[in-house]
Amino acid sequence: MPSSISGSPTSPPWFDATSGTWESRPIDRTRYRIANAFDRSLVTGILTATVAANGYADADAVPVYSLRRYRPRPGRATTGTRPAELRMLDRVARIGMGVVGDSSTPHLAATVMPNSRLGIAGNTGNRMVTSADQARVDREFTDFANPSVRPYGEPRSDKDLRKFRALLSGDYADAHGNSTEMATIASAIRGGADWTRSLVGAAGPGSQHGEMTMLAEHVQHWRANPVPTGQPVRIVNMGGFKLACAGCQWAFDVTNDTVGRQYGYRVVASGTHGQLYPGWLMPDWLANDTTARNAVMAKAAAAGASFRRNAQGRYQLQGQVSAASSSHNPADSESDWEQM
């Protein structure tokens, strides 16, 4: 049991991860939240060195709290069914797109890759992500994470900045149930974007969209790591600056109905704007799966389009650019955050 002070009984002491001190005063839960695994990892050394002196058998038994740095602003809460984790990945893609060159990719997608790193990818082809774009995006993420960098003065960017910093502080996850995935997203952002398989600088005919590039990595992982029978389907959130185009949505649907169903996974995005883009390239893994390829081709035919193999042997969408069925952008979140 925790020791008493001067022989009189006291409440069990707790550890303030923000100040690095032991405390016996009552915990103000409006100012403090339960420390998450990342918070605790930062104070492991001092906890281990002082735990016995404060009456605990080991560091895991110590109640650890962190000072809140951000909080939701009073007012309207976010509605709808899009989970907070997917909204955050949409936000990450939007932050990256804010610094991409005008002649570069019109879209970025964001996901946590199977290696637990942050995956960012744009389109290939004539409007590809360049190495300069990659460097600008990396710098923007660094600036967004740096509390000393002042807000931009643009409402949506500043809202994204506050939520991005709230995520890294641990406060955003605390407000959304401390889900494992939210912690994984924060950890992935801290580790920096992994562009290794993002096809930066890939030109050539047609365009493979960023979602398809990263989905290929997920599918490879699914096949090597099927979900054990009886366990729930594992959701892979695919964020994006824009909603999925018609081709990407066909691929998502077919992936879920075929390889996803077989191995126990499901990819989820924020929806589709429904527009068809000639030149969209079917990813190789999907083209090499006869059942999946035929299913995507059937969806194209139903939309009055078709696929033809280009000079590189890739299946490339043919047809006319169609009208969008909705806005290209994911719905904006109604909620906002503020620094405490």
Side-chain angles (χ1 to χ4, degrees):
M1 292 292 292
S3 60
S4 60
I5 300 175
S6 300
S8 60
T10 65
S11 299
W14 54 278
F15 192 81
D16 185 333
T18 305
S19 64
T21 58
W22 288 89
E23 303 289 346
S24 58
R25 57 188 166 87
I27 302 167
D28 182 351
R29 294 303 300 272
T30 65
R31 298 181 61 241
Y32 283 87
R33 58 172 174 78
I34 297 174
N36 58 33
F38 178 74
D39 299 330
R40 294 184 77 110
S41 72
L42 299 178
V43 296
T44 297
I46 189 171
L47 266 182
T48 302
T50 58
V51 64
N54 285 276
Y56 290 92
D58 57 65
D60 290 340
V62 178
V64 181
Y65 291 83
S66 292
L67 193 66
R68 299 181 189 272
R69 292 185 170 89
Y70 295 86
R71 64 186 176 193
R73 281 184 171 170
R76 187 174 180 182
T78 297
T79 59
T81 59
R82 189 169 49 134
E85 294 83 359
L86 183 53
R87 296 199 305 270
M88 183 56 70
L89 288 170
D90 287 340
R91 186 171 297 115
V92 167
R94 186 164 59 244
I95 291 168
M97 271 301 296
V99 293
V100 166
D102 292 340
S103 62
S104 299
T105 180
H107 177 61
L108 284 178
T111 187
V112 176
M113 300 297 282
N115 64 0
S116 298
R117 296 287 302 280
L118 176 65
I120 301 287
N123 297 358
T124 66
N126 293 333
R127 297 186 64 187
M128 61 190 172
V129 175
T130 67
S131 57
D133 292 324
Q134 176 183 337
R136 283 193 292 266
V137 171
D138 285 340
R139 283 196 299 270
E140 187 75 344
F141 287 152
T142 299
D143 286 348
F144 261 65
N146 184 354
S148 68
V149 174
R150 296 177 62 83
Y152 291 66
E154 196 283 317
R156 190 168 194 183
S157 291
D158 289 349
K159 181 190 286 190
D160 285 342
L161 181 146
R162 288 186 289 270
K163 290 184 177 181
F164 189 87
R165 291 178 180 174
L167 172 72
L168 296 182
S169 75
D171 297 324
Y172 191 86
D174 184 69
H176 290 91
N178 282 314
S179 74
T180 299
E181 185 180 1
M182 195 69 82
T184 301
I185 294 171
S187 177
I189 291 172
R190 292 188 192 101
D194 180 3
W195 298 84
T196 307
R197 298 173 179 83
S198 298
L199 302 182
V200 173
S207 176
Q208 180 164 296
H209 290 191
E211 299 97 320
M212 299 298 98
T213 298
M214 293 190 293
L215 183 57
E217 298 297 316
H218 283 295
V219 168
Q220 182 180 22
H221 175 78
W222 298 355
R223 286 173 167 159
N225 300 273
V227 175
T229 303
Q231 289 192 10
V233 170
R234 294 183 187 170
I235 300 298
V236 171
N237 284 312
M238 185 70 70
F241 169 65
K242 294 182 178 181
L243 298 175
C245 71
C248 287
Q249 188 61 46
W250 298 338
F252 287 151
D253 291 341
V254 169
T255 297
N256 288 335
D257 288 342
T258 55
V259 65
R261 180 173 295 169
Q262 180 179 357
Y263 293 102
Y265 294 86
R266 183 173 183 82
V267 61
V268 175
S270 290
T272 178
H273 56 70
Q275 196 157 14
L276 185 153
Y277 291 111
W280 183 89
L281 290 175
M282 189 182 299
D284 286 339
W285 74 265
L286 199 156
N288 293 334
D289 183 318
T290 303
T291 300
R293 182 181 71 239
N294 289 342
V296 170
M297 287 181 163
K299 288 179 179 292
S306 63
F307 282 90
R308 184 171 64 201
R309 302 192 83 162
N310 63 21
Q312 282 70 42
R314 301 285 304 275
Y315 286 89
Q316 186 169 321
L317 187 63
Q318 311 295 307
Q320 300 295 319
V321 176
S322 65
S325 59
S326 68
S327 166
H328 277 220
N329 299 324
D332 196 8
S333 172
E334 297 95 336
S335 65
D336 197 0
W337 282 63
E338 62 186 4
Q339 192 168 1
M340 296 179 65

